[in-house]
């Protein structure tokens, strides 16, 4: 059976990871959440006081990159891989609003991107992978057979993220989440290195008014078309 690479890029909280997990399960492919990698580096930098909402010590972050070991370990019960930072499961810690507020600063550092992109290319070198992020179809796998670019209105995305965080018991207001979504959109699309941009051969999906199943079925048709080529 032919194996392909599926690159899913787009704005934050557009449901990239939900779709990627569904596809990986259906196809028996590996799923790589590259945002988790940037989040884990950010969490490490926060714990060492190298980054906060108001400060960034780029030199210390770069100097210590070799002390950061990232690993995805598959959790059979959950059905997806969890992020381990230096052998510790940080899956919950990296999803907080505090990490979300600092992650774009870390993702702007070219040295961080170079290392993480290399690791991502290594993980996907045998194809049969669904990878989501901001630069997968443009930088990590420019030759991916299927590239998707996900969008939805900022309001819709903030509402989804807010519901998720509340469900996890985090104390947060909708306005805070909306502000964070809009700030990250701005930084992600305006940074010098690998800004979020739709690859010329990516298919754009606006899922503001699409259900998860509708979206999944639509994309599955696209996948089957690529597999049958
Ligand atoms: O997908 P996410 O929201 O978990 O990603 C967290 C941050 O990481 C996002 O604000 C931008 C950055 N990121 C990136 O710059 N490149 C990627 N390939 C993935 C994420």
């Amino acid at each position: 059976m032919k194996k392909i690479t599926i690159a899913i890029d787009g704005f934050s909280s557009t449901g990239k990871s939900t779709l990627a997990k569904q596809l990986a399960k259906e196809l028996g492919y590996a799923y790589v959440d590259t945002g988790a990698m940037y989040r884990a580096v950010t969490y490490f930098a926060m714990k060492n006081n190298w980054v906060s909402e108001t400060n960034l010590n780029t030199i210390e972050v770069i100097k210590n990159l070799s002390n950061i070991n990232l690993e995805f370990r598959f959790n059979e019960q959950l059905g997806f891989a969890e992020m381990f930072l230096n052998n510790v499961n940080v899956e919950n810690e990296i999803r907080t609003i505090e990490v979300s507020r600092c992650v774009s600063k870390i993702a702007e550092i070219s040295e961080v991107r170079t290392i993480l992109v290399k690791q991502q290319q290594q993980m996907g070198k045998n194809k049969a992978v669904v990878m989501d992020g901001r630069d997968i179809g443009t930088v990590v796998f420019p030759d991916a057979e299927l590239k998707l670019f996900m969008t939805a209105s900022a309001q819709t995305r903030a509402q989804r993220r807010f519901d998720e965080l509340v469900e996890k018991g985090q104390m947060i207001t909708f306005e805070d989440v909306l502000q964070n979504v809009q700030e990250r959109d701005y930084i992600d699309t305006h940074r010098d290195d690998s800004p979020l941009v739709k690859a010329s051969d990516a298919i754009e999906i606006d899922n503001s008014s699409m259900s998860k199943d509708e979206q999944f079925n639509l994309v599955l048709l696209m996948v089957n078309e690529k597999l049958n080529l």
Side-chain angles (χ1 to χ4, degrees):
M1 177 90 165
K2 182 178 170 185
K3 289 175 180 163
I4 63 170
T5 300
I6 303 175
I8 307 182
D9 289 305
F11 292 93
S12 60
S13 305
T14 41
K16 298 186 296 295
S17 66
T18 304
L19 174 65
K21 279 179 197 161
Q22 284 174 312
L23 287 173
K25 194 171 173 203
E26 175 77 18
L27 301 166
Y29 281 16
Y31 162 54
V32 180
D33 169 4
T34 63
M37 300 170 77
Y38 288 93
R39 286 173 179 274
V41 174
T42 304
Y43 178 65
F44 185 80
M46 284 168 76
K47 293 227 328 175
N48 286 287
N49 294 318
W50 300 325
V51 68
S52 69
E53 269 189 74
T54 47
N55 281 309
L56 172 65
N57 189 335
T58 311
I59 293 174
E60 280 303 319
V61 174
I62 295 172
K63 231 169 57 186
N64 285 283
L65 281 175
S66 57
N67 298 324
I68 301 178
N69 178 56
L70 303 181
E71 206 189 327
F72 286 106
R73 290 190 200 159
F74 194 77
N75 180 325
E76 296 280 351
Q77 260 172 346
L78 295 174
F80 64 87
E82 295 177 297
M83 171 53 67
F84 280 71
L85 165 68
N86 295 338
N87 275 321
V88 176
N89 185 336
V90 291
E91 190 56 36
N92 287 331
E93 289 78 355
I94 62 172
R95 310 280 171 195
T96 62
I97 189 83
E98 288 77 18
V99 171
S100 296
R101 285 190 185 122
C102 296
V103 66
S104 291
K105 284 201 189 92
I106 297 291
E108 273 187 292
I109 303 173
S110 287
E111 286 80 355
V112 171
R113 302 203 71 84
T114 303
I115 287 195
L116 296 190
V117 166
K118 255 192 216 139
Q119 293 177 7
Q120 291 152 13
Q121 288 171 333
Q122 184 64 23
M123 288 183 222
K125 70 178 189 315
N126 296 325
K127 297 189 181 268
V129 68
V130 187
M131 198 171 283
D132 80 17
R134 304 293 189 285
D135 58 347
I136 312 305
T138 50
V139 176
V140 183
F141 288 114
D143 296 329
E145 287 82 356
L146 180 62
K147 298 182 188 177
L148 304 173
F149 189 83
M150 318 282 291
T151 65
S153 71
Q155 287 280 337
T156 306
R157 291 184 285 127
Q159 189 65 54
R160 287 176 188 160
R161 190 94 193 104
F162 175 70
D163 293 344
E164 253 172 49
L165 291 169
V166 168
E167 204 181 298
K168 284 183 184 164
Q170 292 196 34
M171 301 288 280
I172 186 88
T173 66
F174 173 77
E175 285 67 33
D176 271 349
V177 177
L178 180 61
Q179 193 187 355
N180 176 251
V181 162
Q182 288 168 332
E183 277 171 11
R184 284 204 288 150
D185 284 359
Y186 184 85
I187 301 177
D188 289 348
T189 50
H190 287 80
R191 66 172 171 242
D192 289 337
D193 190 347
S194 318
L196 170 63
V197 58
K198 177 181 168 294
S200 57
D201 51 351
I203 301 165
E204 183 164 337
I205 299 178
D206 183 335
N207 60 19
S208 301
S209 51
M210 238 185 236
S211 75
K212 283 177 193 171
D213 283 349
E214 279 168 347
Q215 171 173 273
F216 178 55
N217 290 329
L218 173 75
V219 174
L220 211 48
L221 288 177
M222 297 174 192
V223 171
N224 284 327
E225 200 176 303
K226 296 287 176 188
L227 288 174
N228 293 325
L229 275 184

